[in-house]
Amino acid sequence: MSTPLSRIRNFSIVAHIDHGKSTLSDRLIQETGGLTKREMTEQVLDNMEIERERGITIKAQTVRLDYTARDGETYVLNLMDTPGHVDFAYEVSRSLAACEGSILVVDSSQGVEAQTLANVYQAIDNNHEIVPVLNKIDLPAAEPERVRQQIEDVIGIDASDAVLCSAKTGEGIADVLEAVVTRLPPPKGDRDAPLKALLVDAWYDPYLGVVVLVRVLDGVLKAGMKVRMMNAGVTHQIDRIGVFKPKQTETGELGPGEIGYITAQIKQVADAAVGDTITDEKRQTATALPGFRVAQSVVFCGLFPVDAADFEDLRAAIGRLRLNDASFTYEMETSAALGFGFRCGFLGLLHLEIIQERLSREFDLDLIATAPSVVYKIGLNDGSELELHNPADLPDPVKIATIAEPWIKATILTPDEYLGSVIKLCQDRRGEQRELSYVGSRALVVYDLPLNEVVFDFYDRLKSVSKGYASFDYAIEGYRVGDLVRMSILVNSEPVDALSMLVHADRAEARGRGMVEKMKDLISPHMFQIPIQAAIGGRIIARETVRALRKDVTAKCYGGDMSRKRKLLDKQKAGKKRMRPFGKVEIPQEAFIAALKMDAD
C-alpha cells in the first residue's frame, strides 16, 4: 500500500557551486538511516569518478528517505540533489518540476552568489515553497546574520527563520529535516484517476537496459502494466518498479506523489524522452503534461582521434556516452588536416570538458578538439536561413545577406575592488552593460555579451582578474545580426580548416596576428620556408614565416673566390624554391591544441 499523500514531501536542494548541496544530502541520508556508517562515503550521490574528483555534481540524483518526525509520525522524503553549474541548469529544471518545495542552501561565509539567484528564481517559477538553509556555520568566517539580510535584500524571500546548520559536522541537520516536514507542502494527487506520470530522467544500465525516473501525479503505476508514452506514441510493458534508498529497492507499485524508477525493456535512452507523460494504455489520461524545453546545444566543436586508426573506437565511445547524456549531440565530419572525426554539440564549456575527459579516461582515447564555436544563423540573399555549426562550412560570402550570432545575459557578482577589471573584461568582449547595483560590499553587474566571446576563455579570465572571487551565471537571450567575417589560417598557402573561425570584423586583425605568431613558434622548421598567414576572403591580414633549415653547402670551400660560394648558395636556393610547392608541412598535434587555447588578448 502506498504512503498517504499528507506524509510525503518531495523537495530538491538548490545552491551555487560549492555551497554544500552534496554534503548536506550525505548528512540527510545518514541522519535518516538510509545507509549504514560502513556504507557511507563522501558525496554518496555523486557516483561518477569525475564528479568525485572535481567535487561537482553533473547528474541530478534522487533518493527516498524514511524519517520519523518529532511529532512521532513517519514521513517519506524524496530528495533530489541538483548540480550547481550553469551548464547543467537543464538538470535542475527537470528536478524542480518533480517537486513541490526546495531547500535553498547558502554558504554562510560566502553569501548569495550568481547561481544562487539563477537556481532560486527557477524554483520560484515552479511555485516552490522555499526553506533557506545557512550552511557552513562552523567556519570562522561565517556571518549568518549578514547572509540572512542578504537573502532578504537580493532574493526577496523571508530568511528570518532560516535554518542554521553545518553539513560537515552534522550540526543542525535534525532542524533541516524538521523544517522539510513542517514547512514544505505535501503533493496533491488522486489515486483513482487515470494514471498520469512525468518522465523526469532516463539513463542506461548495462544490466537492466534503460532505467526511467518517474514522478506519479495521479493514479497508480504497477509492475506488469502496459503504459503509453504520450508524446513518443509508443507502448511498453513495465518489468520492475522501485525506489532509490539510495540502493535500488523494488516496491511493485508507485502511488500519487511518489518518485521512483521503472524498467520496461526500452533499448535506447533516446526512446525515453525526458518530459514525456506516461499513462495507462487501457485507461488514458485526457491531457498530457507540458513537459520540458528540449536542451539546446550551445557550443560545438570537432573531436578527432590523434591516431586515425582509433576512429572506430571513438565512434563506439561517443555512442555509449550518448546513451547516458541525451543533451550531447554528434554527427560525423571530415577535415583535410585532421581526418575523420565528429562534430559534437554541448550545453557549455564545462560540459565539453567533461565529455572530453570521460572519452579519454573511460575509453582511453587521445583526442584533438577544434576551436569551440557557437551556432550562427546565416541569412541568404534568396530569403532563406540556415544554421551554421562549423565556420569551415560558411557559404560563399556573395550569397550571404546577414550573419546573426547568439547573445547572452550574463550576471556577475564580484567584490567591489575587482569591479573595474570585470567591467574592462566585459567591454573588451564587446559587452553592453545593462545594470550595476550593490549587494552589501559586492557589486552585481548585468551585461549583454556575444556568446562566441564567452566560449573561448571568458570564465578563466574572469576568475583570474577577480582572484577567483567573482561568480558568473548566464542565460541565452536570442540572436543579433553582427559584422562577422570568417578568418582562415593558411600554412604554406594551404587553408587549415580546423583553425578557421568566425570573428567580429573589428577584432579579426588582432586575433589573426596572435594566431599566426603562436603558430610560428609551434611549427618546426622544414627544409623550405613556410609562410603562415591569416586571411579574410582573399585579403591577407597577418603573416609570419618559419625559416628554412639550412645545410652549410659552403663548408668545403675554404678560401678562394667568393663567386664559388655564391654559385653553391644560388644552387641551394633554387632547390628550396622548387621544393616548396611539393613540400608537405607537418603540423604537430600539440600545435592545434595550443593554437586553439590561445588567449585572444
Side-chain angles (χ1 to χ4, degrees):
M1 179 69 187
S2 306
T3 315
L5 284 169
S6 60
R7 303 256 185 85
I8 299 175
R9 297 289 182 274
N10 298 321
F11 66 99
S12 57
I13 301 183
V14 293
H16 186 74
I17 312 155
D18 279 345
H19 279 205
K21 293 181 294 297
S22 297
T23 313
L24 181 60
S25 304
D26 291 353
R27 289 297 84 75
L28 295 175
I29 291 168
Q30 210 171 351
E31 185 77 13
T32 54
L35 289 172
T36 62
K37 204 161 191 174
R38 189 173 60 81
E39 292 169 316
M40 274 307 289
T41 55
E42 280 192 24
Q43 277 89 43
V44 71
L45 295 178
D46 290 346
N47 47 24
M48 269 190 254
E49 183 191 336
I50 198 163
E51 288 184 310
R52 291 171 179 279
E53 194 176 289
R54 284 176 173 240
I56 58 172
T57 302
I58 295 167
K59 284 292 287 177
Q61 300 289 349
T62 310
V63 61
R64 175 177 170 139
L65 310 169
D66 296 319
Y67 170 62
T68 305
R70 288 171 188 162
D71 60 8
E73 295 280 8
T74 300
Y75 290 85
V76 167
L77 310 181
N78 288 310
L79 147 72
M80 292 189 130
D81 177 24
T82 60
H85 199 282
V86 60
D87 283 15
F88 305 114
Y90 74 104
E91 289 277 347
V92 181
S93 66
R94 298 201 304 223
S95 306
L96 295 178
C99 302
E100 284 77 37
S102 290
I103 290 181
L104 169 66
V105 179
V106 182
D107 182 329
S108 53
S109 60
Q110 303 267 345
V112 176
E113 298 279 6
Q115 269 153 293
T116 314
L117 291 173
N119 290 340
V120 79
Y121 288 149
Q122 236 179 326
I124 292 167
D125 288 346
N126 279 287
N127 299 321
H128 275 205
E129 191 64 45
I130 291 165
V131 174
V133 169
L134 304 184
N135 191 19
K136 307 193 186 182
I137 56 165
D138 57 315
L139 292 180
E143 297 177 82
E145 289 313 312
R146 177 183 68 81
V147 174
R148 222 177 230 160
Q149 193 57 47
Q150 214 179 40
I151 292 174
E152 292 187 3
D153 295 347
V154 182
I155 302 172
I157 56 175
D158 179 19
S160 56
D161 53 356
V163 183
L164 302 180
C165 80
S166 165
K168 191 175 178 184
T169 64
E171 182 187 343
I173 296 298
D175 297 337
V176 175
L177 286 164
E178 208 54 36
V180 167
V181 166
T182 55
R183 288 160 60 180
L184 295 183
K188 296 183 177 74
D190 180 358
R191 196 178 170 81
D192 302 319
L195 173 67
K196 184 188 278 189
L198 174 69
L199 199 160
V200 182
D201 200 1
W203 60 92
Y204 189 78
D205 182 294
Y207 303 106
L208 302 172
V210 176
V211 179
V212 176
L213 185 70
V214 293
R215 156 72 203 268
V216 181
L217 294 153
D218 290 323
V220 184
L221 198 55
K222 294 181 179 169
M225 194 176 193
K226 270 202 164 178
V227 293
R228 183 171 184 78
M229 295 189 179
M230 293 178 80
N231 286 351
V234 290
T235 306
H236 294 287
Q237 184 157 1
I238 295 176
D239 305 328
R240 282 186 186 79
I241 291 190
V243 293
F244 295 102
K245 281 190 156 184
K247 291 178 287 197
Q248 286 189 6
T249 311
E250 286 196 44
T251 58
E253 70 167 56
L254 289 173
E258 293 190 296
I259 297 175
Y261 71 86
I262 60 170
T263 64
Q265 295 179 5
I266 302 169
K267 300 288 184 290
Q268 292 182 31
V269 175
D271 299 339
V274 167
D276 208 340
T277 306
I278 299 174
T279 188
D280 188 347
E281 168 73 4
K282 296 192 178 93
R283 186 170 165 237
Q284 296 189 14
T285 181
T287 53
L289 295 160
F292 306 121
R293 280 182 306 129
V294 178
Q296 291 289 332
S297 298
V298 172
V299 177
F300 284 82
C301 89
L303 291 179
F304 295 86
V306 167
D307 180 356
D310 292 340
F311 174 72
E312 285 305 324
D313 296 344
L314 176 62
R315 186 204 293 270
I318 282 182
R320 281 180 63 188
L321 273 193
R322 174 81 172 89
L323 283 175
N324 269 345
D325 190 348
S327 57
F328 161 57
T329 58
Y330 68 94
E331 58 182 35
M332 213 180 116
E333 76 165 353
T334 56
S335 152
L338 301 172
F340 287 103
F342 291 93
R343 189 90 193 150
C344 303
F346 308 92
L347 297 166
L349 282 187
L350 180 71
H351 190 207
L352 183 156
E353 218 175 292
I354 298 287
I355 294 280
Q356 242 180 295
E357 203 162 320
R358 286 186 67 188
L359 285 170
S360 63
R361 219 184 247 200
E362 296 172 26
F363 303 99
D364 203 22
L365 291 166
D366 282 336
L367 299 175
I368 297 171
T370 62
S373 84
V374 298
V375 183
Y376 297 94
K377 289 191 172 164
I378 312 293
L380 301 174
N381 292 330
D382 62 6
S384 62
E385 188 179 77
L386 59 94
E387 285 193 348
L388 179 77
H389 295 178
N390 186 350
D393 300 335
L394 189 75
D396 187 338
V398 179
K399 297 177 182 171
I400 297 173
T402 57
I403 302 178
E405 60 181 334
W407 279 64
I408 60 168
K409 174 189 169 191
T411 307
I412 300 168
L413 267 164
T414 175
D416 192 32
E417 63 262 38
Y418 307 117
L419 179 61
S421 310
V422 169
I423 287 178
K424 182 181 183 307
L425 173 67
C426 293
Q427 300 288 18
D428 288 349
R429 300 296 168 104
R430 299 193 281 130
E432 295 171 7
Q433 191 174 316
R434 267 202 195 184
E435 57 187 81
L436 170 60
S437 54
Y438 276 84
V439 181
S441 64
R442 289 187 308 163
L444 175 79
V445 201
V446 180
Y447 259 90
D448 284 342
L449 283 162
L451 184 62
N452 76 345
E453 297 285 352
V454 174
V455 296
F456 266 95
D457 57 353
F458 181 82
Y459 195 63
D460 296 344
R461 301 282 302 158
L462 178 68
K463 286 293 179 199
S464 74
V465 300
S466 66
K467 309 268 192 299
Y469 284 107
S471 61
F472 169 67
D473 180 72
Y474 70 83
I476 302 279
E477 285 279 281
Y479 278 78
R480 292 194 203 172
V481 172
D483 184 10
L484 299 166
V485 290
R486 181 175 67 188
M487 183 178 77
S488 311
I489 301 292
L490 304 137
V491 174
N492 200 17
S493 305
E494 289 289 320
V496 182
D497 54 354
L499 295 177
S500 62
M501 60 179 77
L502 280 184
V503 291
H504 195 267
D506 297 347
R507 307 197 55 196
E509 217 157 296
R511 180 69 68 85
R513 197 170 298 116
M515 203 80 156
V516 295
E517 281 170 9
K518 190 100 172 204
M519 290 294 287
K520 181 192 172 187
D521 299 335
L522 295 165
I523 293 178
S524 51
H526 287 50
M527 291 302 291
F528 50 92
Q529 221 178 47
I530 304 170
I532 302 169
Q533 299 159 313
I536 294 172
R539 185 167 67 91
I540 303 297
I541 55 170
R543 171 183 169 133
E544 289 287 338
T545 306
V546 179
R547 293 189 57 174
L549 282 172
R550 290 189 63 173
K551 180 184 173 190
D552 189 359
V553 289
T554 62
K556 59 181 183 284
C557 298
Y558 41 88
D561 186 21
M562 181 59 200
S563 60
R564 289 177 63 207
K565 291 185 181 178
R566 188 74 269 153
K567 195 172 170 186
L568 288 166
L569 288 168
D570 288 345
K571 192 175 174 185
Q572 182 188 37
K573 202 171 175 182
K576 285 190 184 299
K577 202 171 177 183
R578 212 171 36 249
M579 196 188 284
R580 200 195 130 196
F582 304 105
K584 195 166 177 352
V585 179
E586 291 295 325
I587 304 177
Q589 307 297 11
E590 307 82 65
F592 281 107
I593 297 161
L596 299 175
K597 280 185 175 167
M598 189 193 86
D599 179 3
D601 301 339

